[in-house]
Amino acid sequence: MTSAVRLIRSQDLADAPYAYAATAPSSARLIFLAGACPLDDHGATVHPGDYAAQAARCVDTLRAALRASDADLTDVISTRVLVASAHSEHLVEAWDVVHAAFGEHDVPSTLLGVTVLGYPDQLVEIEAVAAVVDPA
């Protein structure tokens, strides 16, 4: 299925590893996803202390939530990646995993360093919005 999301780039802005904007047709159904957390099937935080591994688990969680909504990563229209750290290298560790997962579908994204996230030992969380056009 072809994605309804159209990524927008501008020659007037600095080159970045993500699109600066995205749009979807007015007929699209928006899917607002809860923050994808690095939890196992029992609700425990996985990979304490490992930003990249937690980011990978968050992507897996995000994919599962999208599947439950009849969507995929290519239907995501924007993300917000939250990283519990004041050190940019930790933010980049998480970002590199998320960016690789999205591949060429490099949606508009915000990368934020935060002081704390909700679960014990949690370092990464990914929020997302997706847009799909359901078959008629």
Side-chain angles (χ1 to χ4, degrees):
M1 178 171 29
T2 303
S3 176
V5 175
R6 183 173 66 91
L7 301 178
I8 300 167
R9 302 176 196 294
S10 173
Q11 301 283 357
D12 297 330
L13 299 170
D15 188 35
Y18 49 83
Y20 275 97
T23 188
S26 61
S27 59
R29 172 173 53 94
L30 296 178
I31 304 165
F32 298 89
L33 295 118
C37 299
L39 305 177
D40 66 17
D41 294 340
H42 305 288
T45 304
V46 298
H47 311 295
D50 189 332
Y51 291 90
Q54 284 199 10
R57 179 60 182 178
C58 289
V59 170
D60 291 343
T61 301
L62 180 61
R63 281 188 168 122
L66 286 163
R67 271 194 309 275
S69 304
D70 296 322
D72 198 337
L73 286 180
T74 57
D75 298 309
V76 172
I77 197 165
S78 69
T79 67
R80 181 175 298 128
V81 180
L82 309 170
V83 182
S85 179
H87 302 285
S88 62
E89 63 269 16
H90 296 151
L91 278 70
V92 170
E93 275 183 67
W95 171 254
D96 286 346
V97 172
V98 174
H99 186 253
F102 277 87
E104 290 188 19
H105 187 69
D106 52 353
V107 299
S109 297
T110 299
L111 177 63
L112 296 168
V114 299
T115 56
V116 66
L117 291 167
Y119 290 97
D121 299 315
Q122 181 183 1
L123 300 172
V124 181
E125 186 165 336
I126 304 170
E127 296 177 12
V129 177
V132 296
V133 175
D134 294 318

